[in-house]
Amino acid sequence: MTTVSDGPLRVLCIVGARPNFMKIAPLMRVFRSMPERVTAMLVHTGQHYDEAMKDAFFRQLKIPEPDIDLGVGSGTHAQQTAEIMRRFEPVVDEAAPGAVLVVGDVNSTIACALVASKKGIPVIHVEAGLRSWDRKMPEEINRVLTDQISDLLFTTEPDGAANLQREGVATERVHFVGNVMIDTLLANRERAVPAETSLAAIADFDGDVSSFGLLTMHRPSNVDDPVVLRRLVETLTDLSQRLPLIFPIHPRTRARIIDAGLDQVLANSRITLTEPLGYLELLGLMSKARLVLTDSGGLQEETTALGIPCITLRENTERPITVDRGTNTIVGTDPAKIRACFDDAMDTGGKSGRIPELWDGKAAQRIAEVLVTWAGDRARVA
Ligand code: UD1
């Protein structure tokens, strides 16, 4: 049942996995500052649950404790998605929200959007319209499907609206508002843990703050195939002879490296492994790095916002503005291409870029304004 009334709009805000936390933080802050217009409840699905993958982000970004934790945990895609849906349905029945807000492209995003939409509850998608055009990526499936069943779609870059229009999404549902992930980055720049502090705390690191690179890697396409993983680890080991690399390692990558027997290769490199880092530690390191090597979506955007060269270890990106305007270069997994881009960044300082339109720290505020107007319009026609 959808609740349409003159009172505050009750919104269930969903988070599940690490990249969701920095997107929801500014939204919760704005919503909670306007209780007369919006009542925001936070639901955590439990997709990510470790101290390093979840709690550190809640603490550092001052995200309120979730009102509800579904405690789903890990599993295959089908298990995880189905379990989130099963556990979320009674929450929706009980809360009878006026809308369900989802962010990004993780399994929690599609699972909760699907439950809400089948119950006739409007779905709001923040970070809509991004497309890699690569259906082998689980996130691409999540993005396409979530956008199809969303009532309000908030985009981060101009391409988003064009992609959605091509897929038949009504133009009036789509609002270009900027990037909530960059809201969080700008709000926390001053609070970042200085790179010197983090580097001093990382045992075995043999570089210094004027000369290090940052590496992250966790995409299934890079880490699940032992042949691809070996090629990448060997290439990165080679690069680390020129620039020592800090590698905060995702749990799935750590497991795959051990399975593939590559921990010995890394032990003989100048790549220093750490546990996954908190947001403020990573932001501090990223800001001072000579370059970033990554397969993450969020880091492509954050490096563009910070003006740090980013070498993306993927064949495509759903965030083309980071390439067209920003500091990002897509190199895939070919050792020669990775090496050429790395050498260029080392020799010339790498690609310089401009800050994309509306990446100004005010995206959450714009979203709240659109949402309040939308809720008012709905209340009037009800
Ligand atoms: C998920 C997202 C991905 C995002 C990434 C960021 C999907 C489809 N993928 O991938 O888009 O970039 O999060 O981290 O939703 N694990 C832990 N502790 C945790 C969480 C996970 O140890 O707190 C381990 C488990 O062994 C688990 C594995 O990591 O099986 C993968 O976790 P999962 O949530 O399935 O996907 P991610 O690879 O993290």
Side-chain angles (χ1 to χ4, degrees):
M1 192 188 73
T2 308
T3 307
V4 180
S5 74
D6 284 337
L9 175 71
R10 191 174 322 146
V11 186
L12 289 187
C13 299
I14 312 300
V15 286
R18 184 171 58 176
N20 295 163
F21 303 140
M22 39 291 223
K23 293 171 195 167
I24 214 71
L27 288 165
M28 289 305 290
R29 198 162 29 254
V30 173
F31 291 158
R32 296 250 158 125
S33 74
M34 49 198 299
E36 69 295 348
R37 313 311 305 268
V38 177
T39 307
M41 285 173 69
L42 186 61
V43 178
H44 176 44
T45 65
Q47 180 174 347
H48 286 176
Y49 42 84
D50 281 354
E51 157 66 28
M53 299 292 285
K54 182 223 156 200
D55 298 302
F57 289 83
F58 272 70
R59 257 196 326 276
Q60 292 188 339
L61 300 178
K62 303 190 172 115
I63 303 170
E65 271 306 301
D67 297 286
I68 293 154
D69 189 335
L70 303 179
V72 164
S74 303
T76 64
H77 285 267
Q79 283 164 352
Q80 196 173 53
T81 309
E83 198 55 31
I84 295 168
M85 290 180 70
R86 212 178 60 76
R87 295 190 194 192
F88 185 52
E89 182 165 44
V91 171
V92 176
D93 289 340
E94 167 87 26
V100 168
L101 181 148
V102 295
V103 297
D105 54 17
V106 301
N107 287 341
S108 302
T109 309
I110 179 62
C112 293
L114 202 45
V115 171
S117 124
K118 291 275 182 85
K119 287 181 174 292
I121 294 170
V123 175
I124 302 162
H125 187 202
V126 174
E127 202 187 80
L130 296 180
R131 294 290 179 271
S132 66
W133 314 111
D134 175 2
R135 292 275 171 110
K136 291 197 290 302
M137 275 183 91
E139 294 82 1
E140 182 76 353
I141 310 285
N142 294 342
R143 287 190 278 263
V144 170
L145 296 181
T146 302
D147 285 341
Q148 278 298 322
I149 55 175
S150 291
D151 297 80
L152 264 184
L153 300 94
F154 292 109
T155 58
T156 55
E157 52 177 275
D159 270 31
N163 296 338
L164 292 167
Q165 196 175 16
R166 204 173 304 133
E167 291 172 12
V169 176
T171 317
E172 61 272 19
R173 296 183 175 193
V174 180
H175 300 265
F176 173 40
V177 289
N179 194 326
V180 284
M181 190 169 236
I182 304 305
D183 287 8
T184 294
L185 182 141
L186 296 175
N188 288 284
R189 255 189 113 162
E190 304 296 313
R191 296 176 64 227
V193 175
E196 292 81 348
T197 310
S198 296
L199 292 176
I202 298 172
D204 307 332
F205 176 63
D206 72 348
D208 65 58
V209 74
S210 64
S211 202
F212 73 96
L214 185 66
L215 165 65
T216 81
M217 202 165 62
H218 71 282
R219 293 266 153 235
S221 58
N222 280 341
V223 304
D224 286 359
D225 177 342
V227 176
V228 175
L229 184 60
R230 173 171 292 276
R231 187 164 76 222
L232 281 168
V233 166
E234 287 176 353
T235 305
L236 294 161
T237 293
D238 191 29
L239 302 185
S240 76
Q241 298 311 322
R242 186 164 180 202
L243 182 72
L245 300 174
I246 302 288
F247 185 10
I249 193 164
H250 187 287
R252 64 177 294 129
T253 310
R254 187 182 285 279
R256 298 297 181 274
I257 281 177
I258 293 168
D259 291 348
L262 289 167
D263 34 341
Q264 271 319 305
V265 178
L266 283 169
N268 294 320
S269 74
R270 293 180 79 203
I271 300 175
T272 306
L273 269 54
T274 75
E275 290 303 308
L277 295 172
Y279 182 81
L280 296 176
E281 287 80 7
L282 197 80
L283 179 55
L285 285 173
M286 202 171 6
S287 313
K288 284 283 162 62
R290 296 269 301 264
L291 53 85
V292 172
L293 292 141
T294 191
D295 61 11
S296 149
L299 263 71
Q300 295 174 53
E301 295 183 338
E302 289 165 341
T303 45
T304 276
L306 292 167
I308 304 291
C310 181
I311 302 172
T312 294
L313 306 169
R314 287 175 45 187
E315 304 298 339
N316 51 51
T317 181
E318 61 287 336
R319 294 162 161 91
I321 199 138
T322 61
V323 177
D324 301 341
R325 295 271 174 87
T327 56
N328 190 17
T329 309
I330 306 294
V331 294
T333 62
D334 174 356
K337 284 193 190 151
I338 300 172
R339 169 110 238 169
C341 188
F342 172 89
D343 284 340
D344 178 63
M346 291 297 289
D347 296 341
T348 70
K351 202 172 158 185
S352 57
R354 283 175 293 144
I355 307 291
E357 195 185 346
L358 299 188
W359 289 20
D360 59 359
K362 296 181 186 137
Q365 187 63 45
R366 288 187 198 99
I367 288 171
E369 283 160 17
V370 173
L371 197 54
V372 165
T373 306
W374 170 85
D377 290 348
R378 280 174 63 81
R380 264 190 296 285
V381 294

